[in-house]
Amino acid sequence: MNRWDLFTYVAVGILVVGSVVVFGYFLRDARQILKEMGGNKKRPDPPSSPREPGD
Amino acid sequence: MGVFDFVVIAAYLGFMLYIGWYVSRRMKSFDDFFIAGRTMTTPLLICTLVSTYYGIDVLFGTSELGFNEGIVAWFGYSRPTYLFFILAAFFLANRLRQHQHRSLPDVLAHYYGEKAGVTAAIASFVYSLPSLGLFGMGKVGQVIFGFDPWIGGLLFGGVALVYTLWGGLMADALTDTVQFVLMCVTLGIAIPIVISHTGGFGIVAQTLPATYFKPLGGVPVWLVVVYAATGLSILVEPAFYQRIFAARSSRDVRNALLIGILLWSAYDWCVTAGGMLAKVAVQSGVLPADTHPNEALLRIVIYALPAGLTGLFLAGVLAAEMSTIDSYCLVAGGNVVYDIYRPLINPRASDERLGRLTKWGILLSWALGFVLAFRFGRLLALWVFMSSILTSTVFVPVMAGLYYRGRKRPLAGLLSGAGGLLSVVLFYVLVSLYGVRNEEYDTYILTLRFGGRAIEIWQEYALFVSLPVSFLGFIAGNLLGRDAPAPPAETVTA
């Protein structure tokens, strides 16, 4: 197999597997996001939030 | 294309409209509509960032470059962009989120006052008009269904308009998730099938010139540098800023960008490879000899995929462009209402009024984009010009606002923005008037002679002039201007 073919198959793998995994993680978050967006729960501004110690 | 392909496309369009309607029932405030209530998590940001930035321009444009020039499409044009995304991931997002901004002009208004904010809003509005996207939709409709381009733009672009009007940024982002998976998975399925049909890169190496495998190909080095420099626009990109403000935290933005870069690079390579394989398909007679380079990838994929998968791929192509149109309509609509109408006409406008008027702004931007889309022959050049306008107007004042710790007077923001804007327009006009049209690169080139040496000035070099002018404007404004008046005690309105 040509090395460019191999490179292309690696890219295809990253694209397909990566997008499906990301979408799976999104589905896990979706219900909570919609609930928060409706105003049921508002988070504080992130810079003052303990979620971001590195910022 | 079979009946099942059409059913797949119709189902996709119907599902996008359903998402818009579903989200519209949860809208409670302008923040919900415009920045999704600042609730976006890493996976949602990845989906919306990747799909928003990769529309038909990448699918058609990068594959066209792969078709004509080879791997330079990936090495020379795509990869430098990732560097700017890395810079944004580590140095920009957390700075921008130190204040409760909602838009790019908001940032300039914060540091330099409302005049600088309105100047940025005008540049952002013009940049965000969805002309290129609607033109691309028209082209897809033409290739797939044989429609007149304006019908495709009206039909598919209209679906993107409706769900954006219904659900704002969250509808935009949720539809982006579906569009993201569709565009990535269908391309990932198509490319191996195209490889098997064309014989792969072994045949490409035997058939195409050796320059196809040189990282800089046969393209002038300076032009590659210029295209790489256009990546600067990422650091001041209005749709990108909107997503940074809509994120739950800057850590979410950083992680989304780093993962996004991996996916962008894979997508770019697949599109580049597809263009090169399509070139072989044309030379071997699989595709007609008169196949246009920017349609070659689409045509080879339609040729290679079986029924059903073709419909899915074409839904992915529509998805790639719809995700771009909806995002920029929303930005442009917000520019008209939140960044221009609110500070200049009605500073005390309520959330409800801002939300309602923003929908009219979205409609206005879509309509203007539609009119322009089918009026200009050189849309890609138009886009490069508009991108140069945005970068020239806002790059220096935004970066100075965020990172320069010294004095920042309102006149500095105004002169920097206006100087960049005027200089880029003047540069384009002069090169167009006195330069010579170059058909190969679709641009104008002005040749200056100094002592027997010829120096070529391309239209695309505008940023090399406008950015220094904008920087000088910032310095002059800081020296000549007055300090900003103290902010009023209460700025929050009903």
Side-chain angles (χ1 to χ4, degrees), chain A residues 2 4-5 7-12 14-16 18-20 22-23 25-26 28-30 32-47 50-55, chain B residues 22 26-28 32 36-37 39 41 43-44 46-47 71 74 97-98 100 170 174 177 180-181 184-185 188 191-192 195 200-202 213 248-252 262-263 266-267 269-270:
Chain A
N2 186 294
W4 293 106
D5 284 332
F7 189 50
T8 305
Y9 284 121
V10 170
V12 164
I14 291 171
L15 198 61
V16 174
S19 60
V20 170
V22 167
F23 189 67
Y25 274 99
F26 156 71
R28 194 193 61 175
D29 292 349
Q32 185 65 24
I33 290 171
L34 286 172
K35 200 185 286 181
E36 285 181 21
M37 192 197 63
N40 295 336
K41 183 184 172 188
K42 289 287 183 188
R43 286 170 180 267
D45 188 39
R51 279 172 55 86
E52 296 185 55
D55 294 332
Chain B
Y22 177 79
R26 293 173 170 270
M27 292 288 132
K28 290 187 176 171
D32 283 345
T39 58
T41 57
L44 186 53
I46 295 169
C47 296
I71 64 171
W74 193 73
R97 289 180 57 87
Q98 285 174 351
Q100 292 274 5
M170 185 52 83
L174 291 183
T177 61
F180 162 78
V181 175
C184 292
V185 170
I191 292 299
I195 287 178
F201 276 89
F213 289 93
R248 188 176 291 186
S249 73
S250 49
R251 180 184 292 170
D252 283 306
L262 193 65
L263 292 166
Y267 191 89
W269 176 255
C270 286

Side-chain angles (χ1 to χ4, degrees), chain B residues 117-129:
Chain B
V118 170
T119 307
I122 293 168
S124 173
F125 173 76
V126 177
Y127 168 83
S128 301
L129 289 176

Side-chain angles (χ1 to χ4, degrees), chain B residues 39-116:
Chain B
T39 58
M40 286 195 182
T41 57
T42 301
L44 186 53
L45 284 166
I46 295 169
C47 296
T48 185
L49 284 168
V50 170
S51 59
T52 295
Y53 283 113
Y54 276 35
I56 288 177
D57 51 334
V58 172
L59 201 62
F60 285 0
T62 306
S63 66
E64 179 182 12
L65 200 59
F67 184 98
N68 285 330
E69 309 277 353
I71 64 171
V72 65
W74 193 73
F75 283 94
Y77 292 122
S78 301
R79 282 206 317 179
T81 308
Y82 311 145
L83 173 67
F84 292 106
F85 278 120
I86 291 173
L87 289 175
F90 286 104
F91 301 110
L92 186 66
N94 55 354
R95 284 285 172 132
L96 284 172
R97 289 180 57 87
Q98 285 174 351
H99 302 280
Q100 292 274 5
H101 300 306
R102 287 164 161 168
S103 66
L104 165 71
D106 241 6
V107 179
L108 283 168
H110 172 82
Y111 290 110
Y112 307 101
E114 299 294 3
K115 285 180 186 170

Side-chain angles (χ1 to χ4, degrees), chain B residues 137-430:
Chain B
M137 281 296 190
K139 198 167 182 70
V140 172
Q142 192 176 27
V143 172
I144 301 172
F145 303 104
F147 291 161
D148 276 344
W150 70 270
I151 295 177
L154 189 67
L155 181 65
F156 303 126
V159 171
L161 172 69
V162 169
Y163 70 68
T164 308
L165 285 174
W166 267 337
L169 184 61
M170 185 52 83
D172 174 357
L174 291 183
T175 51
D176 282 354
T177 61
V178 179
Q179 291 157 351
F180 162 78
V181 175
L182 262 181
M183 63 189 259
C184 292
V185 170
T186 55
L187 185 67
I189 292 171
I191 292 299
I193 297 175
V194 171
I195 287 178
S196 73
H197 273 263
T198 55
F201 276 89
I203 303 296
V204 175
Q206 289 172 18
T207 312
L208 302 182
T211 54
Y212 270 67
F213 289 93
K214 290 185 176 174
L216 293 183
V219 180
V221 175
W222 270 107
L223 194 57
V224 175
V225 172
V226 167
Y227 278 115
T230 59
L232 281 174
S233 66
I234 286 163
L235 300 179
V236 289
E237 224 282 343
F240 179 41
Y241 272 42
Q242 190 180 28
R243 278 148 184 77
I244 290 176
F245 302 138
R248 188 176 291 186
S249 73
S250 49
R251 180 184 292 170
D252 283 306
V253 179
R254 184 188 62 202
N255 293 343
L257 283 172
L258 295 179
I259 297 167
I261 287 167
L262 193 65
L263 292 166
W264 274 314
S265 58
Y267 191 89
D268 277 326
W269 176 255
C270 286
V271 170
T272 303
M276 295 170 73
L277 294 164
K279 176 83 172 184
V280 171
V282 169
Q283 293 198 344
S284 61
V286 172
L287 291 181
D290 63 348
T291 302
H292 193 282
N294 67 17
E295 295 174 8
L297 175 64
L298 194 58
R299 292 199 181 279
I300 187 67
V301 169
I302 291 173
Y303 168 81
L305 285 180
L309 278 181
T310 304
L312 204 59
F313 178 79
L314 293 175
V317 172
L318 292 175
E321 200 52 45
M322 287 170 88
S323 59
T324 306
I325 291 173
D326 54 17
S327 299
Y328 286 103
C329 278
L330 185 59
V331 168
N335 289 145
V336 174
V337 177
Y338 179 73
D339 300 310
I340 297 176
Y341 164 81
R342 181 187 56 87
L344 292 186
I345 299 172
N346 188 359
R348 303 187 70 80
S350 66
D351 253 23
E352 187 195 355
R353 184 166 180 78
L354 286 177
R356 196 170 60 246
L357 288 177
T358 299
K359 292 181 181 180
W360 283 105
I362 290 169
L363 195 59
L364 172 73
S365 68
W366 190 96
L368 272 177
F370 186 81
V371 169
L372 289 174
F374 303 103
R375 202 163 284 265
F376 287 90
R378 297 176 61 227
L379 268 183
L380 191 58
L382 178 69
W383 185 86
V384 172
F385 171 63
M386 300 324 302
S387 172
S388 299
I389 280 194
L390 178 78
T391 309
S392 305
T393 308
V394 302
F395 183 79
V396 171
V398 166
M399 291 301 125
L402 293 174
Y403 298 106
Y404 176 57
R405 291 183 181 275
R407 186 174 54 194
K408 293 182 275 275
R409 287 174 162 160
L411 190 62
L414 191 61
L415 286 187
S416 179
L421 179 65
L422 292 176
S423 62
V424 77
V425 171
L426 193 63
F427 184 91
Y428 261 78
V429 169
L430 288 176

